[in-house]
């Protein structure tokens, strides 16, 4: 799937399925063993959710997906993004590495998981939520991750 969180062992789309449809497999196509990109894009549009990377260029220091061994070569230009999309009021990050990028640009410490923090970058104010990683390597059961993310969406 040429989109965000395509790996079948990442829990992101299962979390969204649980929160919005009470079904962890809502976006999963079992026969094809893949996530349903058409359903995902329709869902994101309907709910007003946008996804974007916090790093525009990275270097993997080891041959794995761990953020621990990820060097950010070029971070997102948060001011430019918010200038282009001034209606953004909430930014949710899925892990400490992504959160550290946004926190650095907002001039704040990396917040605790699940605790919203009001931020200002340039003329733009927004709420930052640091959420648990959706990677299965993060040792938190799926239902606990979904409960954490549920706070953001008020579901």
């Amino acid at each position: 799937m040429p989109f965000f969180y395509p790996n079948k062992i990442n829990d992101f789309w299962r979390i969204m399925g649980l929160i919005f449809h009470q079904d962890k497999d809502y976006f999963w196509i079992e026969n094809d063993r893949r996530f349903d990109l058409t359903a995902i894009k329709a869902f994101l549009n309907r709910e007003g959710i946008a996804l974007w990377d916090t790093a525009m260029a990275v270097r993997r220091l080891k041959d794995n997906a761990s953020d621990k061994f990820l060097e950010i070569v070029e971070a997102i230009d948060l001011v430019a993004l918010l200038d282009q999309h001034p209606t953004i009021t909430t930014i949710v990050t899925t892990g400490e590495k992504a959160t550290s990028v946004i926190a650095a640009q907002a001039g704040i410490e990396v917040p605790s998981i699940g605790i919203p923090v009001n931020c200002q970058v340039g003329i733009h104010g927004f709420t930052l939520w640091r959420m648990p990683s959706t990677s299965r390597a993060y040792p938190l059961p799926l239902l606990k991750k979904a409960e954490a993310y549920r706070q953001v969406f008020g579901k």
Side-chain angles (χ1 to χ4, degrees), residues 4-36:
F4 295 86
Y5 306 105
N7 192 324
K8 69 180 182 177
I9 62 170
N10 188 289
D11 284 329
F12 187 83
W13 298 117
R14 288 180 180 83
I15 291 167
M16 294 299 109
L18 282 169
I19 292 171
F20 289 89
H21 301 284
Q22 297 72 53
D23 179 1
K24 71 178 179 66
D25 294 320
Y26 184 84
F27 296 109
W28 183 249
I29 301 174
E30 183 60 37
N31 292 344
D32 294 341
R33 308 283 302 147
R34 66 176 175 84
F35 291 107
D36 185 342

Side-chain angles (χ1 to χ4, degrees), residues 7 9-10 55 58-72 94-98 133-139:
N7 192 324
I9 62 170
N10 188 289
V58 299
R59 184 175 299 118
R60 291 270 174 209
L61 303 176
K62 291 199 175 189
D63 191 23
N64 64 38
S66 172
D67 284 356
K68 183 177 180 181
F69 303 109
L70 177 75
E71 176 187 352
I72 296 176
T94 59
E96 186 172 3
K97 181 73 79 170
S133 171
T134 59
S135 167
R136 295 254 178 106
Y138 187 77

Side-chain angles (χ1 to χ4, degrees), residues 58-135:
V58 299
R59 184 175 299 118
R60 291 270 174 209
L61 303 176
K62 291 199 175 189
D63 191 23
N64 64 38
S66 172
D67 284 356
K68 183 177 180 181
F69 303 109
L70 177 75
E71 176 187 352
I72 296 176
V73 177
E74 179 186 351
I76 187 174
D77 182 342
L78 190 56
V79 171
L81 176 73
L82 295 172
D83 284 346
Q84 290 177 338
H85 304 282
T87 59
I88 293 173
T89 59
T90 303
I91 295 177
V92 179
T93 56
T94 59
E96 186 172 3
K97 181 73 79 170
T99 309
S100 69
V101 170
I102 302 301
Q105 292 189 35
I108 64 167
E109 295 293 319
V110 173
S112 298
I113 291 174
I115 306 297
V117 177
N118 292 325
C119 298
Q120 188 78 27
V121 175
I123 62 168
H124 306 284
F126 60 93
T127 302
L128 174 62
W129 288 81
R130 173 187 173 195
M131 302 311 293
S133 171
T134 59
S135 167

